Amino acid sequence: MPGRKIGGATTSALGIGAMSFAEFYGPTTEENSYAILDAAMELGVRHIDTSNVYGMGRSERAIGAWLAANPGARAQLHIATKGGITRDAEGNRRFDNTLAHLEAELDQSLERMGIDCVDLYYIHRRQADMPIEDATGALAALVEKGKTKSIGFSEIAPSSLRRAHAVHPVAAVQSEYSLATRAPELGLVQACADLGVALVAFSPVGRSLLTDRPLNAGAVAELPFLRENPRFQAPNLAANLAATDRFRALAAEMGVPAAALAIGWVLAQGDHVLPIPGTRSVGHFRELVQGVTLELSADDIARIEAALPVGWAHGDRYSAGQWVGPERFC
């Protein structure tokens, strides 16, 4: 497994997006999550990316239970979690980037996972009415307290990254990035490279669209996030499935799973890009890891992008409600 740098650490070029441990993409069991983590150890995958809000702690509890059953594993892993999303008294979603909130949430995350500190702590969503310099200072205080080794942000603009990095080194920015979502190429990929910041790419297989078994309308109807997502609503879903048939055909021609080819493309976008796919299937996880072994030539990249040229996707990547929090910059 080749390595990628996140801050001062080197971890695997592929990570696990542990949102799938909390039934975001369908029912799962703790044993299923343990099996994914077992496979990760076998295959050399060492970065685990989770959040306090994934299943309201369920993802972190699963990781903690697995760590307790595998006491030698913690030293081999690079563990990231997030904080900053909360709710007001009426139950409305809001964002809190104050030190008091972030520290309280991180303390609970550490307790759930049974560890003393995380390797990376992200602000999950930026609090718009708080200067990012102040939010960065809050994260820096958690480094000084020994509760995280490095800091990051999820879904921020390149300009915000540069402001934050001027206050304290930012190890990583997490953003959706795949053949289906290429907006990061309009400044974020470049800013991360300029500053030596890892770009942690979530949903690198397009929430199943870039796999050999994309979710159909029946499956989407059972998943609250996807049934509200424009790309998975009619008529966009049918159009997107038809468009990605070209990609599946190309992957078959190249003799690799579509998911592996999608991962290989993301990795080819820069040595600082680290994809974190999520899955509930060990078989699918092995397909994803296969993407790390691909050595794509310039001709291969050209063929992939001819099958799925920039702008091919039908529908926005988020609904109006889902766009609350992420920073738009293009």
Side-chain angles (χ1 to χ4, degrees), residues 5 7 161 165 169-173 189 191-199 272-273:
K5 288 192 175 297
L161 169 60
H165 198 73
V170 176
V173 171
V189 173
C192 287
D194 289 346
L195 299 172
V197 175
L199 176 57
H272 63 302
V273 181

Side-chain angles (χ1 to χ4, degrees), residues 6 20 23 35 84 86-87 116 118 139 147 153 199-200 211 249 260 302:
I6 299 183
S20 56
E23 301 196 336
T86 187
R87 293 191 180 277
D116 296 326
V118 289
L139 288 173
K147 296 183 179 184
F153 290 86
L199 176 57
V200 178
T211 73

